[in-house]
Amino acid sequence: MRSISTPSRLLACAAVLLMVTGCDSDDATSGNTQSLGTVHRDRIFTNDPNHPTPQNRTEGPIETEHGKRFSIAMLENASARLEWSASDPQPAGYLKAAGTSTEDTSGNKHAVGGGYTLYFTFQGTKPGTARIVFTNYCGTHKNTGCYSPTLQNTVTYRITIH
């Protein structure tokens, strides 16, 4: 009878444990992008003084079907002072928020200066038009250490639901 080495035994135990308990992970990180629906990536602006970034801009319209999911992918990077949050879709009733997930885009989102993509997922609930406003924490909260008057403040996405 052949003996199994300790590292092999540990790997086998870990695999059995994962099969029994399951494994939670972000959809985008694990490669399961089905729940994200159609992904719309935000345009990335640089901090080039010769080409200033508009502090408030409007994008879209994004076209979707009621009952379908879509995601808006925003670049997050604490060292670049980009920290986004999304408002509730307005007017109410046309879209519902379906969650957020992340994808590492720099090799290690927990490393100093590391960036990643934050997916905001929504679902169309009935035909009409709505808007979602993304707010950059560092561009709008003056009492924080990351504030700068030249940072992007908001990005408004116009959404048409068919």
Side-chain angles (χ1 to χ4, degrees):
M1 185 162 135
R2 197 173 129 224
S3 174
I4 299 175
S5 69
T6 300
S8 296
R9 208 172 334 165
L10 289 174
L11 285 173
C13 289
V16 169
L17 184 62
L18 283 174
M19 287 189 297
V20 171
T21 62
C23 181
D24 292 334
S25 66
D26 292 328
D27 288 335
T29 304
S30 67
N32 179 11
T33 58
Q34 183 177 12
S35 64
L36 294 175
T38 302
V39 175
H40 304 274
R41 294 195 176 274
D42 186 55
R43 295 185 296 145
I44 298 172
F45 287 92
T46 63
N47 291 327
D48 181 355
N50 296 321
H51 300 93
T53 301
Q55 287 188 303
N56 302 294
R57 60 186 165 91
T58 300
E59 300 289 340
I62 291 175
E63 308 260 339
T64 191
E65 301 290 324
H66 70 280
K68 299 286 183 178
R69 284 185 173 204
F70 68 94
S71 297
I72 299 174
M74 302 293 288
L75 177 64
E76 287 254 316
N77 190 326
S79 65
R81 297 181 293 185
L82 295 173
E83 297 180 29
W84 298 102
S85 63
S87 69
D88 289 332
Q90 295 296 321
Y94 295 96
L95 293 171
K96 71 175 182 177
T100 60
S101 57
T102 61
E103 175 185 38
D104 185 354
T105 53
S106 68
N108 186 352
K109 74 179 181 183
H110 300 292
V112 174
Y116 58 98
T117 301
L118 181 57
Y119 294 88
F120 294 87
T121 303
F122 300 90
Q123 183 171 346
T125 55
K126 67 180 182 181
T129 59
R131 69 184 179 288
I132 304 162
V133 178
F134 292 90
T135 303
N136 180 13
Y137 179 79
C138 292
T140 56
H141 291 82
K142 292 183 180 182
N143 59 347
T144 66
C146 66
Y147 174 77
S148 171
T150 61
L151 289 174
Q152 292 183 65
N153 291 337
T154 64
V155 179
T156 302
Y157 272 87
R158 297 173 292 132
I159 315 296
T160 301
I161 306 104
H162 299 283

